[in-house]
Amino acid sequence: MTALTLSTAGAATLRADALVVGVAKAGKALVVAPGAEAVDKAFDGRLAAVLETLGASGGEGETTKLPAPAGLKAPVVLAVGLGSAPEDGEAYKSETLRRAAGTAARALSGSKKAAFALPVGSAEDAGAIAEGALLGAYSYDVYQEQAKDAKKPLAEVALLGAKPRDKAHKAAADRALAVAEEINRARDLINMPPNDLYPATFAAAAQAAGKEHGLKVQVLDEKALAKGGYGGILGVGGGSVNPPRLVRIAYTHPKAEKTLALVGKGITYDSGGISLKPAGHNETMKCDMSGAAAVLSAVVAAARLGLEVNVTGWLALAENMPSGSATRPGDVLRMYSGTTVEVLNTDAEGRLVLADALTKASEEHPDAIVDVATLTGAMVLALGDRTFGIMANDDDFRTAIHEIAEEVGEQSWPMPLPADLRKTMDSPTADMANMGVRMGGGLIAGLFLQEFVGEGITWAHLDIAGPAFHEGAPYGYTPKGGTGSSVRTLVRLAELTAAGEL
């Protein structure tokens, strides 16, 4: 993992492989952002002019490298675009700084140390830059045996302009390190191939994390699931040689007054089961456990931050495969709640494992439950591949999560739960079916899950099917592959709950 330091040195005197500065658009002109005054001075006040000559525009995500002049200890200056400069008296947005730092960290892969001289007007700015740089420096090369000599991620981030002796700045940096490391934990799990990450090994990873951070971990194996009547999880996992698991991982604080339950879909590989996915739709289905990875990371982050709130994570783990023992379309499953469900499509499996986990989580009567899942392609069609949908049984809670996601830089959108769609899941054979009408499929999935939330418990559902796995070129602090979507939102939700603001 990339190291993070808060440096008291000036930009001109710190020894590093590269010095990162920000540039922005101010009308038609290119301007150097605050934090880079010493660097601009080393260029005799002509840094913006030199960059313009090289074609720099200050556009967001743009990078320009140039050799450093005499007067700077670093041999290279990297200018990263911040987009439009803010109005006088206003600061750059946190997400702008986060993305710029991530872009710079990616551009400096192979470097041992980079000094970031981006605008730091507050502890929040320092945290955003640190978080972005640490996330941007991520790479997953565990299986690349023939790429041993490839460029390694940036090894150290030195943050300039922050105040190491200031409690707020130090706390922001510590928080950024903990959150970024946990997001990267989720990314590693998502990127791991499914022949190595299956329910038992995922459960073992949760146990290892729990042991490291003093968390209580309980694992129900296939025998315990059968004894307990977890028909949803067993029905989905029955076709695989890798049996399912239900993991409970809990962080408790002696001063906590509230409890959050987080429930994650953990389909370690989704072939679709008997309702087999066609070629072109199954190659990235190792990512169908992204919700469970996010939940695990959020619980560990809450523990590392010492938040005064109890956070319990439930990881519903199964592998959805076709075989002679797999659930068939037309089968009826008796869920942990006792509800019977006719399975019309075995590729609508995530809601089945989540249903059992939601019922189990409800038995502990938490103050709120949030489930996270790569649940429906319909949500991707509705919102695209960078935005997750939010559904809830409480409008205020849905709004709060949307605002939290916006605050931490995760794109989301509130979605409805139309009551008229519920009847389309009626079954002539069972209490309900796992499918309804095709249109509004993402909303129908949310309505299905709502049936398994305990009475009187505030609940929200995050469908992260779009942003959980990025198949395009990296951008900002977002890599190709697993992204760790929703971890920041869940951690911030826990923080605000601990502070009594929710």
Side-chain angles (χ1 to χ4, degrees):
M1 180 68 187
T2 301
L4 173 67
T5 58
L6 301 185
S7 178
T8 57
T13 58
L14 182 67
R15 293 186 181 276
D17 296 312
L19 190 56
V20 178
V21 300
V23 291
K25 299 176 181 180
K28 295 183 179 181
L30 183 72
V31 296
V32 178
E37 291 83 1
V39 182
D40 191 31
K41 183 178 180 181
F43 280 89
D44 296 325
R46 291 184 47 79
L47 177 56
V50 172
L51 288 168
E52 282 187 308
T53 301
L54 294 174
S57 67
E60 189 172 328
E62 177 188 82
T63 58
T64 308
K65 281 185 180 180
L66 63 164
L72 298 180
K73 296 293 185 182
V76 173
V77 172
L78 176 71
V80 59
L82 300 174
S84 298
E87 300 291 331
D88 290 342
E90 295 184 9
Y92 285 91
K93 293 180 179 179
S94 294
E95 181 63 4
T96 298
L97 298 176
R98 192 180 289 113
R99 290 188 180 187
T103 298
R106 286 192 296 103
L108 293 171
S109 61
S111 300
K112 292 183 178 180
K113 182 177 181 178
F116 284 68
L118 295 172
V120 179
S122 65
E124 183 181 357
D125 292 344
I129 295 167
E131 189 177 275
L134 294 170
L135 293 176
Y138 174 82
S139 72
Y140 189 75
D141 56 7
V142 177
Y143 295 85
Q144 295 178 340
E145 295 296 335
Q146 297 179 9
K148 294 293 187 183
D149 297 328
K151 287 184 178 180
K152 297 296 182 182
L154 174 63
E156 181 182 349
V157 171
L159 183 56
L160 308 182
K163 304 170 184 177
R165 296 181 181 86
D166 183 281
K167 288 184 178 180
H169 283 236
K170 180 68 166 58
D174 290 344
R175 180 190 184 279
L177 181 62
V179 172
E181 286 185 345
E182 291 312 314
I183 291 172
N184 288 338
R185 180 198 300 275
R187 289 171 169 179
D188 283 350
L189 288 167
I190 297 164
N191 289 327
M192 189 178 295
N195 58 319
D196 282 346
L197 188 75
Y198 42 90
T201 54
F202 197 145
Q207 288 174 314
K211 183 177 181 179
E212 180 183 358
H213 297 285
L215 306 175
K216 185 176 182 180
V217 182
Q218 298 169 292
V219 179
L220 298 184
D221 62 13
E222 67 272 28
K223 293 181 180 178
L225 291 170
K227 184 178 180 179
Y230 294 85
I233 296 174
L234 288 167
V236 172
S240 174
V241 296
N242 295 310
R245 298 287 188 269
L246 177 62
V247 178
R248 179 186 185 271
I249 180 166
Y251 161 69
T252 57
H253 192 284
K255 295 182 180 180
E257 296 182 357
K258 290 189 175 182
T259 297
L260 282 176
L262 308 177
V263 177
K265 173 187 172 183
I267 304 300
T268 56
Y269 181 75
D270 181 19
S271 70
I274 298 296
S275 305
L276 194 66
K277 294 178 184 291
H281 292 79
N282 57 16
E283 291 82 358
T284 61
M285 282 298 102
K286 66 180 183 180
C287 78
D288 214 17
M289 37 58 67
S290 297
V295 166
L296 171 61
S297 291
V299 175
V300 176
R304 293 179 63 172
L305 296 173
L307 303 182
E308 292 186 13
V309 59
N310 298 328
V311 185
T312 304
W314 297 89
L315 316 181
L317 309 177
E319 189 174 65
N320 187 24
M321 296 290 286
S323 74
S325 59
T327 294
R328 297 158 290 242
D331 282 356
V332 173
L333 303 178
R334 186 174 298 276
M335 313 298 283
Y336 177 70
S337 67
T339 300
T340 56
V341 176
E342 182 182 10
V343 179
L344 298 180
N345 187 328
T346 65
D347 197 20
E349 85 299 330
R351 66 199 69 182
L352 298 174
V353 301
L354 286 172
D356 279 354
L358 285 167
T359 303
K360 186 63 176 176
S362 296
E363 290 181 349
E364 299 185 356
H365 305 289
D367 293 283
I369 298 176
V370 179
D371 76 70
V372 188
T374 47
L375 204 59
T376 65
M379 196 58 61
V380 185
L381 290 173
L383 299 178
D385 57 11
R386 294 192 184 185
T387 304
F388 61 77
I390 308 169
M391 283 156 267
N393 61 4
D394 181 285
D395 288 348
D396 290 339
F397 191 51
R398 182 184 63 186
T399 298
I401 292 178
H402 176 50
E403 291 175 348
I404 288 168
E406 184 176 19
E407 176 190 344
V408 300
E410 295 197 295
Q411 294 174 220
S412 69
W413 198 251
M415 303 293 283
L417 289 170
D420 61 288
L421 290 178
R422 168 59 185 86
K423 64 179 180 292
T424 71
M425 289 186 284
D426 288 347
S427 165
T429 308
D431 294 328
M432 62 188 302
N434 75 329
M435 294 288 289
V437 293
R438 181 167 177 265
M439 299 303 174
L443 312 182
I444 287 172
L447 287 164
F448 181 92
L449 296 178
Q450 185 175 222
E451 296 280 325
F452 298 90
V453 177
E455 186 175 353
I457 299 176
T458 301
W459 159 80
H461 160 58
L462 311 185
D463 190 337
I464 62 169
F469 195 84
H470 179 57
E471 296 186 63
Y475 66 93
Y477 52 81
T478 301
K480 186 179 181 69
T483 64
S485 175
S486 79
V487 173
R488 286 179 287 157
T489 297
L490 296 177
V491 172
R492 187 61 181 147
L493 173 65
E495 288 176 325
L496 293 176
T497 303
E501 296 182 33
L502 286 177

